[in-house]
Amino acid sequence: MKFTDGYWQLLPGVTELRPRQVDEVVAGDDTLTVYASTAKIEHRGDTLNRPLVTVSFHSPMDGVVGVTIEHFRGGLERGPRFGLRREVADVKITTPQLNGAPLATFRSGPLEARVATDGDWSVEFVADGRTLTSSTARSVGVLTDAEGRHFVREQLTTGVGEHLYGLGERFGAFVKNGQTVDIWNADGGTASDQAYKNVPFYLSDAGYGVFVDQPERVSFEIGTEVVSRTQFSVEGQSLTYYVVAGPTPKDVLRRFTALTGRPARVPDWSYGLWLSTSFTTDYDEATVTHFVDGMAERGLPLSVFHFDCFWMRQFHWSDFVWDPATFPDPEGMLARLKAKGLRICVWINPYVAQRSALFDEGKERGYLVTEADGTVWQWNMWQAGMALVDFTNPDAVAWYQDKLRVLLDQGVDCFKTDFGERIPTDVVWHDGSDPQRMHNYYTHLYNAAVFELLEAERGEGEAVLFARSATAGGQQFPVHWGGDCESTFVSMAESLRGGLSLALSGFGYWSHDIGGFEGTPDAAVFKRWLAFGLLSSHSRLHGSSSYRVPWAFDEEAVEVTRLFTRLKLSLMPYLSQVGRRAHTEGLPVMRPMVLEFPDDRGAASVDTQYMLGEHLLVAPVFSAEGDVDVYVPEGTWTSWLTGEQVVGPRWVRERHGFDSVPLYVRPGTVLPVGAVDDRPDYVHADGVTLHLVELEDGHRSVTRVAAGSGEDDALFTVERTGVRVRVEAVGAPGAWAVQPRGGVRVEHRGDGVVEIDL
């Protein structure tokens, strides 16, 4: 929120305390505490009636410096707090007594905070001899507004030409400079400044990130309070934030996800095409079977079938009981679907309607969120008499999981964990949590409860969600999708912006409703969205009031679905390894251009395309006519679909039919392509072809391809010397081949060496 009227004056009724003079610096074993008076102290009498601001520095791991700004410390410590992963950091502390300069320093690995102990308040965050950002004389504030509410604020400098990104899944402008953002989960669709997934973290292309360690509402003024600074503030008496060092955006994400949690490894089958009943459409087992058989008859590979809300009886959500009028034999139906090679997903949410049998059970056992007088909190939005499961109560978590376990025993494989944003703040939580902090954090407990059940029942690496809401740390429970978008090209583009922002907020996997959710897309929108959706991390056909089977649009839509589904499945040797890096390093599958090309000024604001992993550039087409502008970074890029080449850096205007999309291979790529294109879960290394694209002389790389169950990989070492390329395979389970661009394909079986001339 804003506190000033212009630069010099405070808003009416606002008062402010700022650190003006450092009174004392105290160094602990791994902390540095600075006591600063809020006025210049000339003599002892000036200390009377004079508030102090306390600023302390600490580090949870190398390259991350935490800062806590405090006024009064006597408040109750009420949760929740983000569950941060802490390591032993290499901390070095100096004070003026030790360094002989008016400077106190706190270093963690490559990142150092330098506190001026003489003159105006100043903290510089420095890495590799370069100042990343600073807290200035007018940055820190302890404020009271006209209503008597207390706030703590920090303002960190933003440099010339610096761009900021992230803050969760935000559907507006990709570059966040000039925006006001409130971190407050809301069910607002994709067409507003509200967001389902709010993350109080921003990433700078100047080589750092900032994470505000506050689960409650955090207000960001990104160049909108002071144009040269990013302000963040919270209500209360203290504020904690972390500066995360780079130097590259990838390094920042690695550190940030090490701190807040890396995404879990997802099963290969989840990368295949998901088909839904849609939301309010009429369906029963006959409808579902017609859809599934229709996909098979048309040669459209299908991996997951999803039952949306009305698999349960109306007014009973969520009681987890199949509607007997439409699904009288759920166990038999699921067995019949699974015999066709499908996995099953069902829709759930954390709400309990009053008509549900679970309402009385949850009320009696104390598993539902209550008001201060013990009354169960209820309203009529979404479901009649809706209540809310209290996931701060371990017994309520076990109760909820037991209900879901019945579905798993029936044959369900995964859950779409919808909602979780409309969380009241006038309630009492079982563990005494602060309702303001629980509003955003609730979704974390909800998704964790479901994901942990799936891991326990299905095994690590087999659990997967389709989740809508999240906050910091929620990336640990993949996959997340973009929520309720309209069926238009404009909404398709805003969905992509949301996914790119989420990727720079630590989330590794992301999806969206192909064709849009609200309304019915025309055939052109649907076909263009197919290419985008099937070249995303995860791919789902889903809508609101109309079906999304391709033949509901036209026959060309069927052909486009077949083409891009089979293309994606053939890329599984590549995509599964990209997904593994999301799990091990925190790098997203779908990557904004700035993440791969941080030194390319032309890539800084590109938000209409992305890198699928490190090596493939995808530019969705947002027009019926097929016109699209593509930004091509430096080097010779090769179209995967046509073989044509473009030399960058430059913008290229192209026109594509519905059966095409700009899909470019980065120069210097060894792209593994599978021998199977009708399912995602196959032995990727068996029959794999290594496509060699624009390898420079001296190139050396190791390509990993899954060779069986578990973590087994085949390793292919590729080296180019002059015109000769040498490929050595270790751990290859069967046949494999090498295919130079425009050259002769060479096959081999098992371990060994292949040498070819380009």
Side-chain angles (χ1 to χ4, degrees):
M1 63 181 291
K2 292 187 176 182
F3 301 101
T4 59
D5 176 9
Y7 185 64
W8 303 110
Q9 300 184 91
L10 294 170
L11 288 170
V14 174
T15 61
E16 179 185 36
L17 298 171
R18 288 191 277 118
R20 302 295 182 92
Q21 178 178 310
V22 172
D23 180 68
E24 185 180 11
V25 176
V26 178
D29 291 338
D30 54 6
T31 61
L32 178 70
T33 303
V34 180
Y35 297 95
S37 65
T38 53
K40 299 291 185 181
I41 305 299
E42 301 293 344
H43 55 79
R44 287 183 175 181
D46 290 341
T47 65
L48 302 178
N49 303 313
R50 177 56 54 199
L52 288 177
V53 176
T54 305
V55 182
S56 57
F57 300 82
H58 60 283
S59 177
M61 59 182 58
D62 281 352
V64 179
V65 170
V67 182
T68 299
I69 303 166
E70 295 174 300
H71 182 215
F72 293 148
R73 296 179 56 196
L76 295 176
E77 289 291 331
R78 299 177 68 188
R81 297 204 68 88
F82 293 123
L84 304 185
R85 316 295 178 87
R86 301 179 187 275
E87 304 171 358
V88 177
D90 180 17
V91 171
K92 293 181 174 60
I93 301 172
T94 65
T95 63
Q97 294 86 352
L98 295 175
N99 59 24
L103 200 67
T105 66
F106 182 93
R107 174 179 285 272
S108 172
L111 181 62
E112 183 175 78
R114 298 176 179 175
V115 185
T117 58
D118 190 18
D120 290 338
W121 175 260
S122 173
V123 181
E124 291 187 333
F125 296 93
V126 179
D128 299 321
R130 183 172 63 90
T131 298
L132 305 177
T133 188
S134 302
S135 176
T136 71
R138 300 178 65 88
S139 290
V140 174
V142 176
L143 303 112
T144 304
D145 70 4
E147 299 175 5
R149 297 178 300 172
H150 301 286
F151 297 86
V152 180
R153 176 201 72 199
E154 173 67 288
Q155 294 175 343
L156 296 180
T157 57
T158 304
V160 176
E162 181 177 347
H163 301 88
L164 304 182
Y165 312 90
L167 297 175
E169 182 189 48
R170 316 211 76 84
F171 303 103
F174 175 53
V175 176
K176 298 303 180 284
N177 300 54
Q179 296 185 37
T180 294
V181 173
D182 273 0
I183 301 299
W184 192 252
N185 282 2
D187 177 10
T190 69
S192 75
D193 62 354
Q194 296 180 356
Y196 304 104
K197 308 169 189 68
N198 285 268
V199 181
F201 169 79
Y202 65 85
L203 185 148
S204 168
D205 60 2
Y208 69 95
V210 174
F211 170 52
V212 181
D213 186 16
Q214 308 277 162
E216 68 268 40
R217 184 192 301 271
V218 183
S219 294
F220 284 87
E221 300 289 343
I222 309 160
T224 52
E225 182 84 280
V226 178
V227 295
S228 59
R229 300 181 209 149
T230 297
Q231 173 177 294
F232 41 92
S233 60
V234 295
E235 186 173 355
Q237 298 282 354
S238 67
L239 168 67
T240 295
Y241 69 92
Y242 293 90
V243 177
V244 183
T248 70
K250 286 184 179 180
D251 293 323
V252 174
L253 283 185
R254 289 185 182 103
R255 285 195 169 99
F256 176 62
T257 56
L259 180 66
T260 57
R262 296 258 166 85
R265 179 167 53 90
V266 299
D268 283 345
W269 56 260
S270 72
Y271 288 95
L273 181 59
W274 299 45
L275 175 63
S276 163
T277 57
S278 292
F279 173 30
T280 60
T281 53
D282 291 328
Y283 52 85
D284 53 17
E285 182 178 356
T287 311
V288 171
T289 302
H290 171 70
F291 287 166
V292 170
D293 290 348
M295 296 288 284
E297 290 163 3
R298 292 167 174 83
L300 306 177
L302 187 62
S303 297
V304 183
F305 192 85
H306 168 71
F307 291 85
D308 215 56
C309 313
F310 283 96
W311 69 271
M312 290 181 279
R313 294 165 293 177
Q314 59 192 29
F315 293 117
H316 287 73
W317 304 341
S318 291
D319 64 356
F320 310 123
V321 175
W322 293 85
D323 185 345
T326 49
F327 301 109
D329 178 24
E331 290 88 350
M333 176 185 65
L334 297 185
R336 288 185 283 275
L337 290 173
K338 293 173 80 70
K340 300 176 186 289
L342 295 175
R343 305 283 180 156
I344 304 299
C345 175
V346 297
W347 176 96
I348 62 172
N349 70 29
Y351 309 138
V352 180
Q354 184 169 282
R355 193 173 174 185
S356 165
L358 271 62
F359 180 87
D360 290 335
E361 190 176 327
K363 176 184 176 183
E364 179 183 348
R365 298 184 184 184
Y367 294 162
L368 305 178
V369 175
T370 65
E371 298 178 11
D373 63 358
T375 302
V376 172
W377 176 88
Q378 290 180 266
W379 67 3
N380 283 321
M381 187 173 291
W382 184 241
Q383 286 290 279
M386 190 184 83
L388 185 65
V389 177
D390 188 344
F391 288 109
T392 73
N393 183 343
D395 292 335
V397 172
W399 171 74
Y400 191 82
Q401 290 175 331
D402 284 344
K403 304 301 180 183
L404 298 183
R405 190 175 285 107
V406 173
L407 295 170
L408 297 180
D409 291 342
Q410 290 177 333
V412 170
D413 296 287
C414 55
F415 298 103
K416 172 183 170 180
T417 49
D418 207 350
F419 285 82
E421 306 93 357
R422 294 174 175 170
I423 308 304
T425 56
D426 55 348
V427 294
V428 175
W429 295 91
H430 172 81
D431 70 348
S433 284
D434 181 341
Q436 292 292 329
R437 288 174 171 250
M438 274 301 300
H439 174 84
N440 289 336
Y441 197 74
Y442 181 85
T443 177
H444 191 83
L445 300 179
Y446 164 40
N447 284 313
V450 181
F451 196 86
E452 288 164 4
L453 168 69
L454 287 168
E455 280 199 325
E457 294 293 316
R458 295 291 188 258
E460 187 175 342
E462 284 295 313
V464 66
L465 306 178
F466 227 86
R468 189 173 77 172
S469 58
T471 188
Q475 67 269 8
Q476 297 171 82
F477 317 121
V479 168
H480 295 82
W481 102 97
D484 297 349
C485 50
E486 296 180 343
S487 299
T488 65
F489 285 119
V490 170
S491 194
M492 180 178 162
E494 71 197 18
S495 292
L496 175 56
R497 292 194 299 270
L500 297 180
S501 290
L502 192 67
L504 293 184
S505 304
F507 284 67
Y509 312 92
W510 178 77
S511 187
H512 44 96
D513 292 339
I514 294 175
F517 177 75
E518 299 286 358
T520 300
D522 62 32
V525 169
F526 182 73
K527 286 180 282 192
R528 295 297 186 196
W529 212 315
L530 279 167
F532 170 34
L534 285 159
L535 289 170
S536 296
S537 157
H538 286 73
S539 310
R540 183 177 71 157
L541 296 167
H542 179 65
S544 178
S545 57
S546 57
Y547 302 126
R548 291 293 184 267
V549 288
W551 55 90
F553 298 90
D554 58 31
E555 282 307 307
E556 187 179 32
V558 174
E559 297 172 5
V560 173
T561 304
R562 183 187 307 114
L563 169 68
F564 285 104
T565 303
R566 291 186 177 274
L567 171 62
K568 182 178 187 182
L569 299 181
S570 72
L571 290 173
M572 277 304 299
Y574 171 70
L575 291 175
S576 66
Q577 294 299 320
V578 174
R580 185 180 296 184
R581 290 191 70 188
H583 169 58
T584 59
E585 298 183 44
L587 300 179
V589 174
M590 298 172 67
R591 303 178 183 178
M593 299 300 291
V594 69
L595 187 62
E596 283 295 331
F597 305 97
D599 298 323
D600 184 344
R601 292 286 299 263
S605 60
V606 176
D607 61 5
T608 52
Q609 62 187 62
Y610 56 94
M611 295 295 294
L612 187 60
E614 186 176 352
H615 297 291
L616 294 177
L617 186 159
V618 182
V621 179
F622 300 106
S623 71
E625 297 77 16
D627 294 322
V628 56
D629 293 323
V630 187
Y631 180 73
V632 181
E634 185 176 2
T636 301
W637 293 70
T638 304
S639 168
W640 181 248
L641 298 179
T642 69
E644 296 177 359
Q645 293 189 317
V646 175
V647 178
R650 66 189 178 103
W651 284 93
V652 180
R653 172 157 292 186
E654 302 178 357
R655 173 165 284 199
H656 287 258
F658 291 115
D659 61 349
S660 182
V661 70
L663 175 60
Y664 282 98
V665 185
R666 189 176 187 168
T669 291
V670 177
L671 184 66
V673 177
V676 175
D677 65 0
D678 61 357
R679 60 182 303 120
D681 45 347
Y682 56 94
V683 179
H684 299 153
D686 191 2
V688 69
T689 298
L690 305 176
H691 289 262
L692 312 183
V693 183
E694 295 300 313
L695 304 187
E696 292 185 348
D697 189 11
H699 171 97
R700 186 183 188 279
S701 63
V702 177
T703 299
R704 308 176 71 94
V705 183
S709 61
E711 298 295 322
D712 294 335
D713 284 337
L715 303 180
F716 298 92
T717 302
V718 179
E719 298 177 281
R720 176 179 174 180
T721 304
V723 298
R724 173 143 294 205
V725 174
R726 182 181 188 272
V727 183
E728 180 179 4
V730 176
W736 55 278
V738 178
Q739 176 69 65
R741 190 188 73 84
V744 177
R745 172 187 169 92
V746 179
E747 297 183 354
H748 192 78
R749 176 170 289 277
D751 291 350
V753 174
V754 166
E755 293 189 348
I756 58 174
D757 288 336
L758 298 178

